[in-house]
Amino acid sequence: MSPYDADPGDRLVTAAADGEDQAVEAALRPKQLDEFIGQERVREQLSLVLQAARRRGTAPDHVLLSGPPGLGKTTLSMIIAAELGAPIRITSGPAIQHAGDLAAILSSLAEGEVLFLDEIHRMSRPAEEMLYMAMEDFRVDVIVGKGPGATAIPLELPPFTLVGATTRAGLLPPPLRDRFGFTGHMEFYAPAELQRVVHRSAALLDVEIDPAGAAEIAGRSRGTPRIANRLLRRVRDFAQVRHDGVITPAIAARALEVYEVDARGLDRLDRAVLDALLRLFGGGPVGLSTLAVAVGEEAETVEEVAEPFLVREGLLARTPRGRIATAAAWQHLGLVPPVQTTRGMVPPRPELFPADEG
């Protein structure tokens, strides 16, 4: 197997949720806005929206939450329903492929209910157009029949609150985006905030962890609570099997070394991309497809799975000429950058060019 082989679907540091994550997150999710860690600005703004709605006795404005996966959009939607004392209906954009699918959901909502629509940018266009009227006028037109004999029957809806979540806010058409009264953008977490997340989750999982151990896990979690909780569970397993169950920084570091997550949160695929870029192409520039072939992955995998974090960490840059490594990438892998000469970039090979001895 190539040293660059890695299965992006089996990565410990992916922000996507699998079945195990969903089951554990249900137990770890905070239930009230005051318990939610991080996202201070969004929490304060959302608190004002909810408190004002409760005082008026009306449903709050529709809410759009955007940002990378794993930052708490689903958790916030459940907190919104809990703060309002209302039930919540959960669905997703890909599940709504026809306007009739959306009409069936909307017509069954109770007054004041919260409808959480995940991946709202992936909803079909006919359903999207029906949603415009539902959000604005609390009404939908159900088409009965086909052709010239088709009839539109207006259906009144009880007031409800739509909470939409998206990782690609730019894909939302302006008419839909403008119908949300509140838009909150979720940012990546700071290490100190993730340390609090790890401490809270450890307490709920009945895991003993010291502050430095929590900091070690937080520093490798790529700014994402979902990844922090996943790493915590893997470190817990290591601590319970190989040691006395207490998570210290040394045990956390050894455990994550076993799972190939380094001190900056890079995993095997991330390091494979950097290693190919540095060792095979002298730091670039190199085209995406060429780099993907060298790594043994599809170009889409490299571009969508590995590159976003590498760019955010300042280890890789995208340029019109191709991908290039930064000085931080050379330093992180402990390699020496090529020497700039009039003939271009050449790797340092001092053994081939011994110094004159006089």
Side-chain angles (χ1 to χ4, degrees):
M1 184 173 67
S2 165
Y4 301 127
D5 286 347
D7 181 5
D10 193 32
R11 304 176 75 211
L12 195 62
V13 291
T14 179
D18 58 17
E20 181 188 7
D21 289 325
Q22 293 172 356
V24 175
E25 284 176 3
L28 299 181
R29 280 194 176 108
K31 302 299 188 291
Q32 301 295 327
L33 203 56
D34 291 341
E35 300 174 8
F36 191 89
I37 297 171
Q39 311 296 338
E40 300 291 341
R41 186 178 299 274
V42 173
R43 282 174 47 216
E44 182 180 5
Q45 295 171 345
L46 193 55
S47 176
L48 292 173
V49 171
L50 298 178
Q51 288 183 42
R54 285 200 300 265
R55 291 187 181 185
R56 290 192 301 266
T58 60
D61 289 338
H62 303 298
V63 175
L64 177 64
L65 300 173
S66 66
L71 299 185
K73 297 186 291 295
T74 301
T75 298
L76 273 181
S77 72
M78 295 182 175
I79 287 176
I80 289 172
E83 294 279 351
L84 296 173
I88 184 171
R89 188 84 54 92
I90 298 176
T91 187
S92 66
I96 302 176
Q97 293 302 313
H98 306 283
D101 299 333
L102 180 62
I105 294 173
L106 294 174
S107 61
S108 63
L109 292 175
E111 183 173 354
E113 191 166 355
V114 174
L115 173 62
F116 176 58
L117 189 52
D118 198 10
E119 296 184 276
I120 190 172
H121 61 277
R122 296 178 59 188
M123 189 169 49
S124 69
R125 181 55 59 89
E128 186 179 281
E129 293 174 352
M130 174 179 283
L131 192 58
Y132 295 162
M133 184 179 297
M135 294 173 68
E136 197 163 31
D137 301 327
F138 297 109
R139 180 173 68 90
V140 294
D141 290 335
V142 179
I143 307 299
V144 178
K146 296 182 179 180
T151 303
I153 301 177
L155 178 64
E156 298 295 328
L157 302 175
F160 68 95
T161 297
L162 174 68
V163 180
T166 178
T167 57
R168 308 282 296 276
L171 296 183
L172 289 179
L176 178 58
R177 194 164 54 242
D178 293 343
R179 281 171 168 79
F180 286 97
F182 172 76
T183 300
H185 180 72
M186 312 284 281
E187 303 284 353
F188 286 105
Y189 281 57
E193 293 173 331
L194 282 179
Q195 187 174 348
R196 293 168 55 199
V197 170
V198 171
H199 264 297
R200 179 182 181 277
S201 299
L204 293 174
L205 294 173
D206 196 24
V207 176
E208 187 175 350
I209 185 170
D210 66 24
E216 185 71 29
I217 295 173
R220 304 181 187 221
S221 299
R222 302 163 78 115
T224 306
R226 177 175 291 152
I227 296 176
N229 286 329
R230 189 183 300 130
L231 295 184
L232 171 64
R233 299 199 304 274
R234 299 290 76 81
V235 174
R236 172 198 60 184
D237 296 344
F238 180 88
Q240 291 176 348
V241 172
R242 301 280 181 86
H243 298 276
D244 59 0
V246 179
I247 299 177
T248 65
I251 289 176
R254 284 198 293 271
L256 295 176
E257 183 179 348
V258 169
Y259 289 107
E260 299 183 284
V261 179
D262 69 19
R264 294 188 70 158
L266 275 65
D267 72 348
R268 189 157 53 103
L269 177 60
D270 300 319
R271 289 193 300 275
V273 170
L274 286 185
D275 191 73
L277 179 58
L278 300 182
R279 295 181 188 272
L280 301 182
F281 304 107
V286 61
L288 173 63
S289 58
T290 303
L291 181 60
V293 169
V295 176
E297 292 288 351
E298 297 292 332
E300 292 79 6
T301 299
V302 174
E303 184 176 27
E304 298 175 9
V305 177
E307 280 191 352
F309 181 67
L310 295 177
V311 171
R312 182 161 64 89
E313 284 290 290
L315 299 172
L316 179 146
R318 296 170 173 171
T319 72
R321 297 178 58 197
R323 273 57 176 173
I324 62 173
T326 66
W330 292 96
Q331 182 179 6
H332 184 66
L333 292 191
L335 301 176
V336 179
V339 178
Q340 177 71 51
T341 71
T342 56
R343 297 181 181 180
M345 301 292 283
V346 297
R349 298 289 297 277
E351 68 280 3
L352 298 182
F353 305 98
D356 292 337
E357 298 181 357

